[in-house]
Amino acid sequence: MNMQPGTPRRPGDVRRPQGPDADDLSVTTGPIGARETSGVQVRLGAAGGSRARARAERRMRMERRNRSRVRGALIVTATAVGVAAMLVGGVLVISGYGDKGQGGGAAQPPAEAEGPAPRSGQAVAISTAEGAQYRVAAVTGGVSAGGDTTVQSSPLPSGSAVAYIDYVLSNPGDQKVLLDPPGDVFVKRSLVAPAARSRCMWQAGVPEDMCTPPTQSEVLRRVSGGRLEAGDGGDRYMPPNSSYLIRAVVEVPVDRRLRRTDLRLYIWQKRFVSGQYAQPAPFPG
């Protein structure tokens, strides 16, 4: 419907442009065209619709950027926390297990950090049928009231602790040998948690009131010589003339009143001992 100039407009009338393109514009309910609002048809121009879409797209881009920033911040934070935890763990391993009084310097992985030889008892020389030679020298022993997270997966019973012995394991030969800690911890049976005594075994050559529970060994640090060499299947080898401080940790709870005099280090496995009796490695006097 064409309206003449000066003709009053009635509600609901929409002014259409004149000319050849007049029939191209239709009334729609989309963003471009006419939208019905309270009974009055309002025409949105193409420019206005484009600006609205542009604003919406900018908002979406800003939201995506904000989400990306948040994710990035979370990733950076988690990474920093993980690295800090690993560094703290490394410091604890070295300062807690190594010689007291040593400090300074950045934390290094176990078996990579080197320190002076600790005071130890008389070394025991052993060998295997394959020709590998080792020397074992006990350093000290005791209990860790806080437990050892590498051994204990649950809180210790009240009044209990984790027993350990530290010793120096050396390769005195001119060939590399398999890192196979030979020392085992023996404790007084009466000090082992009652529920775990069935797992504590006596061996010939050891006092009858002592037994060896399941034991786990780990390298605390390097004492001398080269670093451990990687082998097949996760094996590690001690290079010639190298020494390492080893910790043998008992895997069952013991009475926290246990003292070093209640502990002894023995080599009893047939791989290392040709006779039928376990061989002791004494603590320093």
Side-chain angles (χ1 to χ4, degrees):
M1 176 181 65
N2 293 329
M3 301 180 64
Q4 299 299 326
T7 303
R9 295 179 59 191
R10 290 173 296 176
D13 288 344
V14 178
R15 183 179 297 278
R16 291 178 177 272
Q18 304 299 316
D21 296 329
D23 292 336
D24 293 338
L25 293 176
S26 59
V27 178
T28 69
T29 58
I32 300 178
R35 184 173 59 199
E36 190 167 333
T37 306
S38 301
V40 179
Q41 289 182 336
V42 180
R43 174 166 293 280
L44 299 178
S50 298
R51 285 195 295 271
R53 284 199 304 273
R55 285 195 296 270
E57 290 174 357
R58 282 198 297 272
R59 284 196 299 270
M60 292 176 64
R61 286 196 297 269
M62 290 178 64
E63 290 173 359
R64 284 196 296 267
R65 283 198 296 268
N66 290 337
R67 286 194 297 266
S68 297
R69 290 192 189 103
V70 171
R71 284 196 299 268
L74 290 175
I75 292 171
V76 170
T77 302
T79 303
V81 171
V83 171
M86 287 189 291
L87 290 176
V88 171
V91 172
L92 288 175
V93 166
I94 294 173
S95 63
Y97 289 162
D99 293 340
K100 295 181 180 180
Q102 299 178 35
Q108 297 183 33
E112 300 301 322
E114 183 176 5
R119 182 169 176 264
S120 59
Q122 183 177 358
V124 177
I126 57 177
S127 60
T128 67
E130 297 83 10
Q133 299 180 25
Y134 300 90
R135 290 173 66 87
V136 176
V139 174
T140 189
V143 295
S144 173
D148 191 313
T149 56
T150 63
V151 176
Q152 296 292 330
S153 59
S154 59
L156 291 170
S158 177
S160 299
V162 173
Y164 69 90
I165 289 180
D166 293 346
Y167 64 94
V168 174
L169 178 63
S170 304
N171 170 19
D174 56 3
Q175 300 291 328
K176 69 178 182 180
V177 296
L178 179 67
L179 175 64
D180 188 9
D184 278 304
V185 180
F186 281 74
V187 290
K188 286 191 175 180
R189 181 181 292 273
S190 60
L191 296 176
V192 177
R197 287 177 189 169
S198 61
R199 303 179 63 192
C200 197
M201 308 302 294
W202 176 81
Q203 297 294 332
V206 178
E208 293 184 358
D209 63 342
M210 303 193 79
C211 57
T212 179
T215 302
Q216 184 181 103
S217 297
E218 58 185 351
V219 177
L220 300 184
R221 63 175 174 83
R222 184 160 46 99
V223 175
S224 63
R227 298 177 179 180
L228 292 173
E229 301 175 9
D232 295 335
D235 288 338
R236 291 185 294 174
Y237 288 85
M238 302 172 61
N241 301 302
S242 61
S243 298
Y244 298 87
L245 184 62
I246 306 293
R247 170 161 289 189
V249 184
V250 170
E251 295 184 352
V252 300
V254 299
D255 193 312
R256 69 186 311 165
R257 294 172 296 179
L258 181 145
R259 297 291 180 263
R260 197 184 80 169
T261 53
D262 301 316
L263 295 168
R264 293 188 188 180
L265 184 69
Y266 280 88
I267 302 103
W268 63 271
Q269 298 179 49
K270 297 307 178 185
R271 167 175 162 77
F272 304 104
V273 179
S274 57
Q276 58 180 335
Y277 296 108
Q279 191 167 354
F283 287 120

